[in-house]
Amino acid sequence: MMAPFRLRFSGVVCEGSISVSQSGAGQLKRLTIPIGMSVIGALGCMGGSFWLINARIGVDHLSDEQVRDGRACTAAVLSHQETGSVINNETVYEFELRVQPSDGAGYETTIRDAPNSVEAGRIGAGATEFPCVIDRDDPSHVEVFWSA
């Protein structure tokens, strides 16, 4: 069976035909949907895995816009512990914080972050009060400025 084709690229048109056996063309049509579904399924699994890993070991950070629009606060570190995860050679910690907004009542929350070794050393040496910013839409999202 001769299958015609026409390609157009940057104003150049190529036309011709390809000889395809009837059985080969039928097999290709039958495989198109299963192959496509397999590719979509594999990509979905990979994306889901990356999301799950990030949710499990990821760190909590606000976007630049959220920091700019956020509410000023201070954060007192009540406790911290290693999560067992490392991101970019920095240990990820889980911090229990007592957050005190500049314009409201204080509250406790937990965040995950990976301060660098100097910042982590300050926390371990007893420094407990740090400036921070709270997301206006979700006060559980806190960006702590460890080096300030």
Side-chain angles (χ1 to χ4, degrees):
M1 169 180 164
M2 296 297 283
F5 72 89
R6 182 176 184 171
L7 298 173
R8 181 181 205 134
F9 182 73
S10 297
V12 177
V13 177
C14 297
E15 294 184 21
S17 59
I18 299 174
S19 177
V20 179
S21 70
Q22 187 68 18
S23 62
Q27 288 176 345
L28 184 60
K29 285 181 183 177
R30 285 193 302 270
L31 289 177
T32 302
I33 292 175
I35 290 172
M37 291 177 67
S38 297
V39 169
I40 290 170
L43 292 175
C45 287
M46 287 172 46
S49 297
F50 289 131
W51 175 84
L52 185 61
I53 290 169
N54 186 50
R56 181 74 179 123
I57 67 169
V59 296
D60 304 323
H61 284 290
L62 299 179
S63 69
D64 290 342
E65 182 180 335
Q66 289 171 314
V67 169
R68 227 181 3 263
D69 296 339
R71 295 170 39 209
C73 63
T74 57
V77 177
L78 303 175
S79 69
H80 67 285
Q81 63 183 9
E82 293 184 19
T83 63
S85 302
V86 176
I87 297 177
N88 295 332
N89 293 326
E90 301 295 349
T91 301
V92 178
Y93 294 90
E94 186 170 272
F95 294 94
E96 277 190 50
L97 304 175
R98 172 84 180 150
V99 178
Q100 181 59 56
S102 58
D103 60 352
Y107 60 94
E108 293 182 11
T109 191
T110 302
I111 66 166
R112 275 189 249 163
D113 204 351
N116 66 42
S117 57
V118 172
E119 296 165 344
R122 286 183 61 219
I123 297 163
T128 58
E129 290 271 329
F130 297 91
C132 61
V133 172
I134 305 167
D135 181 2
R136 288 200 182 274
D137 298 327
D138 185 352
S140 68
H141 291 135
V142 180
E143 183 74 27
V144 179
F145 304 109
W146 302 111
S147 60

